[in-house]
Amino acid sequence: MNEVVLLGAEAIAQGAIDGGMSGVYAYPGTPSTEITEYIQRNSGARKEGIHSEWSANEKTAMESAIGMSYAGKRAMVCMKHVGLNVAADPFINSAITGAGGGLIVVVADDPSMHSSQNEQDSRFYGDFALLPILEPADQQEAYDMAYNGFSLSEKVGLPVLMRITTRLSHSRSRVLRMKNIAENELKLPDDKKKFILLPSIARERYKLLLNLQDDLTELSENAAYNTLKDGNDRSLGIIACGISHNYLMENYPEGIPHPVLKIGQYPVPVKKIKEITSSCKEILVLEEGYPILEKSLLGLLNNSPVPIRGRLDGSLPRDGELNSDLVRKALGMEVHNGPEIPEIMVNRPPALCKGCGHIDIYHSLIEALTDFGEGRTFADIGCYTLGALPPYNAINTCVDMGASITMAKGAADAGLVPSVAVIGDSTFTHSGMTGLLDAVIENSPITIIISDNETTGMTGGQVSSAVGRIEGICLGIGVEESHLKIVTPLKKNHDENVQVILNELNYHGISVIIARRECIQTASKRKRIEVETKSLSTKS
Amino acid sequence: MGMKKSNIILSGVGGQGILTIAGIIGMATLKEKLYFKQSEVHGMSQRGGAVQSNFRIADTPVASDLVPLGQADLILSVEPLETLRYLPFLNKNGWLVCNSSPFINVPDYPELEKILNTIAEWPNHLIIDADKIAKDLGNRRGSNMVILGAASQYICLDFESLESGISAIFERKGDAVVQQNLLALRAGRDAALK
Ligand SMILES: Cc1ncc(C[n+]2csc(CCOP(=O)(O)OP(=O)(O)O)c2C)c(N)n1
C-alpha cells in the first residue's frame, strides 16, 4: 500500500481519483477549493482525462455532475456550504431522479465562519433531501469515504452527500491509498424515465425514495464508520459525530472509560443510539455545526429517557467550531490555560493587498459619490468586500454572491437613485449576469462597477470564467454601448476615473463600468513562475 | 511510549511563509516515521491577516488536529506580535522563538520594544533578527528558514531530517534554491546557539 501525506480536502480528491471518478465539477469556495485544485494538479488525473475545469457556479457544477452520473460515470461535485444554497434546486431533485454512475456531493462547512457569511450545517440539507450522508473524522476516513462513496451511491441508486468542515479540510496527515478502480463505461439509465421529473413520474420516484429510507438506516447500522464501543463507566455515554470524535479522544490518551458511539454515516443508526441511551445515565452529544442530532434526540416533547447534553443545554457553546478544550469542559475536566494574551495585543484582520486595484477604484468611487450622500453602495462577495473596513468604509452591503446588482436595483426601485453595485469578475459570471438582465429590462438607474482583477482572488486565484468575456456578456444582455465604460484603476488615473463614474451616476439608466487591472497576487505569482522556469531551463 | 512529542504553533502574517515551514517539518516527520497532524489556515486570513499552523508530532497516533490550550511546547513565530497571540496555548515549559522584525500592516501596531519586552518576560524565549540574517545571506525571503533553524533544538526531530525536508520541498526549484535555504536554516541554528 502506498502512503501519502494529504490535507483532508486532498484526501477526498485522491480517494475519488483512485475510486474511479470520471469528473469533478466545482466552483471555488473556502474550505472546499483544495479538492478540485488537487485534481487539477494531479498527473494521474490528467493522464486519465478526468474532468476538473471550474464551473461558473455551484448550480451549474451540480447539474453537470448529475449529467455525468446519468451517463453512467462516477462524478463528484464540490462546494462550500453556502454553495449548496445555490445548488439546492438540482441537489434536492437529484434525490428524486436518483443517480446512475456514483455521485458524491462534497460540501465543506465553515463553523466559526473563518471565511464565510454564515455557519449553516449541510447535514440539514442531506436530511432534507433524504440522502445518505458521510462525515469523516480524519484524513484517512475522508479518503476512504470518497473512494467507497461511489459504490455506496451506485448501490442505493442515490447521490451521497459528504460533509466536512474547515478543520479537517485544512489539516494534513498520513493517508493509505487503495488500488485504482477503473472508470465506469458509458451507460444510459435502465429506467429511461427516471430523470424526467414530470409530476406523474416524480410522485413515483419520491415514493421510491421514501421506501428506501429504512434500507439507508439499516446500512448505517452496519456501516464501518458507525461504531459503538462499550465502556465500564456508564454514568455517561457519548455520541460523537465526524471530527468531534478526535476532540473527545484527545482528552483520553489512555483510553476512554465511557461507552462511545462514533457516527460517520447518516441517517443515524437508530438501534445503536437506542443501545447507548438505554445503557447510560446521561448522553453527551458532540457534533460540529448545528445541534441536529441533539435536537432530534430531545424530541419536540422532550421525552428522551435520559438527559441529553450538548449545545442546547449549554454544556457546549451553541455556535462556533468545537475543539478539544470545549469538549474537555463539557466532560467536567479542568482546562489548562497557558499565559494570558497581553494587553498590548491588537487584531490583525485580513486586508486588501498594497497596490490592489480594488483600492484605487474605491477611492475614485468614494470621491464621485460625495455629493450624492451615503448608503448607496451595494457590494458583493470577494476581496473587494474588504472595502467595508477602514480606512475605506466604501460599501454598505454584502449578502450573497450576485446580490449587489439586484439589491441596487431594488433600492433604485424604492427611490434610492442613483444606486451603485460593486461586483467582482468571478462573482459576476457566478450569479451577477441574471440580475443584470433584470436591471437592463427595466433600464434601472443604477451604476454597476465590475471590479475586474481577472481572477477569483479571495479563494486564491483560480481561473475566472469571466476572463475575456465581460464586455460581450454585458452588450449581449443589452447594456448600451455608450454606457459600458472600461477604466484602469491606478492612482494616476484617479481624476479621470472619478469623472467617468460621475458621468454614469448622473445618467438615469443602467451603466456598467469595468475597472480592470490584474490582481497583484496572481501577477506576481505568474512572474515568479516565469522566472523560475526560465532559470531552470537555462540550466538544463 | 510517548517519548517523542512536539506540539508546535507556527505563527505569522499571511504570505510570510508559514506553510513552507510546516511543509518542511512534515517531510522531516515522515522521514522519522512519526505520527503527525498539521492544520493550517487557507482563505480570507491569508490576505495579510494573522495566520497560524498547528503541528503535532508524536510516536503514538495524534487525535486532535489542534493543539489544546496550555499544551504547546513551542511557538515559532516569524513576526514578533504574532508570538503573543497564541500564548494561552503555551505549556509551562514551552519555548517562544521569534523573529524581531515586525510586519506592520495595521495602524495600531504596538511599540516594537514593548512587544519584545513582553516576549522576554517569558523565561524560555529566543528572539532572533531573522530578516537581517537572511538578508546578509542574500536570501531576503529566507527568514522563515532562519527561524526554523533557530527553533530546531526545541523540535523532537533530528536537524538532518529538517535538512532533508528542505531538499524535498525546494527540489523542484533547483539546487541553488535548496542550498540557499539550507544555509539559512543553519545560520538560524548557529545564531540560536550563540
Ligand atoms: C455561493 C458562494 N460560492 C462561493 C463563495 C466563495 N467565494 C467568496 S469570494 C469568491 C471569489 C470572488 O471572486 P471575484 O468576484 O472575482 O472577486 P475577487 O476576490 O477576485 O476580488 C468566492 C469564490 C461564496 N462566498 N459563496
Side-chain angles (χ1 to χ4, degrees):
Chain A
M1 268 199 271
N2 183 344
E3 194 181 42
V4 282
V5 174
L6 298 171
L7 290 176
E10 296 170 341
I12 293 173
Q14 190 64 60
I17 294 170
D18 294 342
M21 173 177 66
S22 296
V24 64
Y25 293 88
Y27 180 73
T30 315
S32 71
T33 315
E34 293 76 14
I35 305 169
T36 306
E37 287 184 329
Y38 181 90
I39 298 167
Q40 291 174 343
R41 282 198 308 270
N42 185 271
S43 56
R46 275 215 298 265
K47 211 165 60 210
E48 287 173 43
I50 293 177
H51 175 278
S52 63
E53 300 294 317
W54 292 111
S55 302
N57 66 37
E58 293 86 352
K59 180 173 181 286
T60 65
M62 180 75 216
E63 291 155 350
S64 302
I66 297 174
M68 184 170 268
S69 168
Y70 167 93
K73 300 216 174 184
R74 295 182 162 185
M76 186 161 81
V77 204
C78 309
M79 62 194 79
K80 70 182 288 164
H81 58 340
V82 288
L84 190 49
N85 298 333
V86 178
D89 200 3
F91 173 72
I92 302 286
N93 291 343
S94 72
I96 317 280
T97 64
L103 176 53
I104 304 178
V105 183
V106 184
V107 185
D109 292 353
D110 189 20
S112 278
M113 306 180 220
H114 300 281
S115 303
S116 303
Q117 309 90 270
N118 74 30
E119 60 172 31
Q120 66 186 60
D121 187 325
S122 299
R123 294 176 304 161
F124 167 85
Y125 266 113
D127 184 52
F128 183 28
L130 300 167
L131 289 176
I133 307 171
L134 299 173
E135 187 185 18
D138 58 24
Q139 293 78 357
Q140 185 66 54
E141 276 192 357
Y143 176 90
D144 295 347
M145 286 176 174
Y147 184 90
N148 295 317
F150 292 119
S151 49
L152 173 64
S153 165
E154 286 165 8
K155 179 170 161 187
V156 297
L158 293 173
V160 171
L161 176 69
M162 183 162 166
R163 185 245 187 175
I164 55 168
T165 56
T166 308
R167 198 56 59 190
L168 178 58
S169 181
H170 293 164
S171 176
R172 221 178 288 274
S173 194
R174 295 203 233 166
V175 171
L176 287 177
R177 280 177 64 184
M178 294 185 263
K179 72 170 203 309
N180 197 72
I181 298 174
E183 287 178 43
N184 286 355
E185 297 291 327
L186 199 65
K187 177 179 175 296
L188 293 180
D190 295 329
D191 176 351
K192 295 276 178 292
K193 292 208 176 113
K194 72 180 222 182
F195 282 88
I196 309 172
L197 293 186
L198 272 171
S200 57
I201 301 171
R203 271 181 226 117
E204 269 175 45
R205 296 286 319 167
Y206 184 52
K207 279 204 171 64
L208 280 175
L209 176 63
L210 292 173
N211 288 337
L212 262 177
Q213 295 305 304
D214 286 346
D215 296 351
L216 297 183
T217 304
E218 194 53 34
L219 279 175
S220 289
E221 295 292 354
N222 302 312
Y225 308 123
N226 295 336
T227 52
L228 178 56
K229 283 223 176 79
D230 206 4
N232 297 327
D233 186 349
R234 301 191 175 173
S235 61
L236 179 71
I238 299 151
I239 304 179
C241 305
I243 197 171
S244 70
H245 188 256
N246 298 348
Y247 301 140
L248 174 67
M249 298 319 286
E250 180 68 28
N251 289 302
Y252 295 98
E254 312 293 329
I256 184 162
H258 305 289
V260 176
L261 173 57
K262 173 177 179 289
I263 293 184
Q265 182 170 336
Y266 306 71
V268 288
V270 181
K271 277 186 220 145
K272 286 199 162 88
I273 288 180
K274 278 189 181 148
E275 212 175 315
I276 191 168
T277 45
S278 63
S279 67
C280 295
K281 282 220 183 69
E282 196 178 63
I283 295 291
L284 175 65
V285 183
L286 306 175
E287 50 191 329
E288 194 67 287
Y290 285 18
I292 292 179
L293 175 58
E294 185 183 348
K295 216 168 173 175
S296 75
L297 289 183
L298 280 169
L300 206 51
L301 301 177
N302 223 332
N303 51 1
S304 160
V306 288
I308 306 289
R309 292 171 47 210
R311 287 186 183 269
L312 291 172
D313 78 330
S315 297
L316 292 160
R318 173 62 182 78
D319 62 335
E321 190 185 359
L322 294 178
N323 59 45
S324 62
D325 292 308
L326 291 171
V327 171
R328 193 174 175 81
K329 230 165 107 191
L331 290 163
M333 300 182 197
E334 195 199 339
V335 173
H336 310 286
N337 252 303
E340 274 175 35
I341 298 176
E343 263 172 33
I344 57 169
M345 182 50 79
V346 295
N347 279 337
R348 198 191 302 257
L352 287 168
C353 308
K354 241 190 218 157
C356 169
H358 294 321
I359 296 177
D360 294 308
I361 199 64
Y362 274 138
H363 282 314
S364 303
L365 174 64
I366 290 166
E367 192 172 322
L369 276 170
T370 324
D371 292 337
F372 290 95
E374 55 184 10
R376 43 185 87 232
T377 304
F378 300 86
D380 226 298
I381 304 192
C383 286
Y384 51 96
T385 317
L386 295 169
L389 306 174
Y392 319 108
N393 305 311
I395 64 171
N396 306 106
T397 70
C398 159
V399 178
D400 68 282
M401 291 189 77
S404 57
I405 297 177
T406 32
M407 282 181 71
K409 178 186 183 297
D413 291 346
L416 192 69
V417 178
S419 286
V420 178
V422 178
I423 187 167
D425 51 294
S426 178
T427 305
F428 178 67
T429 44
H430 177 284
S431 47
M433 302 189 293
T434 41
L436 178 62
L437 181 59
D438 283 352
V440 162
I441 287 172
E442 296 185 37
N443 196 24
S444 303
I446 64 175
T447 299
I448 299 166
I449 295 179
I450 303 180
S451 194
D452 178 14
N453 57 6
E454 304 182 295
T455 190
T456 318
M458 177 105 280
T459 44
Q462 295 75 26
V463 174
S464 162
S465 309
V467 171
R469 299 194 171 86
I470 298 178
E471 288 91 323
I473 291 170
C474 291
L475 293 172
I477 286 177
V479 175
E480 302 242 359
E481 205 162 352
S482 53
H483 293 285
L484 177 64
K485 306 286 177 192
I486 299 163
V487 303
T488 306
L490 277 170
K491 255 202 200 93
K492 63 172 185 174
N493 300 341
H494 174 74
D495 293 341
E496 196 182 313
N497 293 347
V498 172
Q499 198 51 54
V500 173
I501 299 172
L502 259 178
N503 291 348
E504 298 311 322
L505 289 174
N506 284 317
Y507 165 63
H508 198 88
I510 186 161
S511 324
V512 174
I513 301 171
I514 303 169
R516 178 172 296 139
R517 177 152 71 79
E518 188 181 9
C519 163
I520 58 159
Q521 296 283 350
T522 29
S524 71
K525 202 188 321 177
R526 189 166 48 75
K527 278 175 203 143
R528 239 187 358 254
I529 292 170
E530 277 168 15
V531 170
E532 272 165 23
T533 26
K534 214 164 140 198
S535 76
L536 276 182
S537 63
T538 48
K539 250 174 242 149
S540 56
Chain B
M1 278 276 292
M3 293 301 291
K4 279 207 165 185
K5 174 185 89 64
S6 281
N7 283 324
I8 309 167
I9 292 177
L10 309 170
S11 62
V13 180
Q16 280 194 309
I18 286 181
L19 296 187
T20 312
I21 301 181
I24 291 162
I25 301 178
M27 285 298 186
T29 309
L30 258 195
K31 181 160 179 279
E32 299 199 15
K33 299 201 164 34
L34 295 167
Y35 292 94
F36 80 92
K37 277 189 178 165
Q38 179 243 321
S39 84
E40 58 194 42
V41 175
H42 293 221
M44 197 141 172
S45 303
Q46 284 178 302
R47 298 273 156 277
V51 294
Q52 43 75 21
S53 170
N54 281 208
F55 210 114
R56 312 193 67 201
I57 309 171
D59 50 14
T60 52
V62 176
S64 168
D65 299 82
L66 295 172
V67 176
L69 286 165
Q71 301 291 313
D73 306 297
L74 168 68
I75 294 177
L76 184 167
S77 185
V78 282
E79 207 281 340
L81 180 65
E82 295 308 318
T83 320
L84 299 172
R85 195 177 300 280
Y86 308 97
L87 277 186
F89 290 93
L90 194 64
N91 75 33
K92 289 193 297 290
N93 306 313
W95 275 85
L96 300 178
V97 177
C98 81
N99 185 3
S100 62
S101 305
F103 186 99
I104 303 176
N105 65 345
V106 285
D108 51 351
Y109 193 92
E111 226 177 283
L112 179 61
E113 202 178 306
K114 272 198 192 142
I115 298 174
L116 296 179
N117 287 342
T118 312
I119 295 169
E121 278 170 26
W122 186 254
N124 300 336
H125 71 273
L126 199 60
I127 302 173
I128 298 254
D129 193 346
D131 283 20
K132 180 168 185 304
I133 295 174
K135 198 175 137 208
D136 290 348
L137 290 171
N139 177 11
R140 274 173 183 279
R141 297 169 56 92
S143 51
N144 54 346
M145 292 303 107
V146 175
I147 286 291
L148 175 59
S152 59
Q153 52 186 319
Y154 308 116
I155 302 175
C156 69
L157 296 167
D158 293 336
F159 192 75
E160 293 70 42
S161 305
L162 292 174
E163 289 182 321
S164 59
I166 286 190
S167 306
I169 292 282
F170 291 109
E171 189 184 8
R172 55 177 192 88
K173 297 196 172 179
D175 192 49
V177 178
V178 171
Q179 292 308 325
Q180 269 182 353
N181 283 292
L182 285 174
L183 276 180
L185 183 82
R186 290 172 196 145
R189 176 194 56 184
D190 297 347
L193 295 176
K194 255 189 222 150

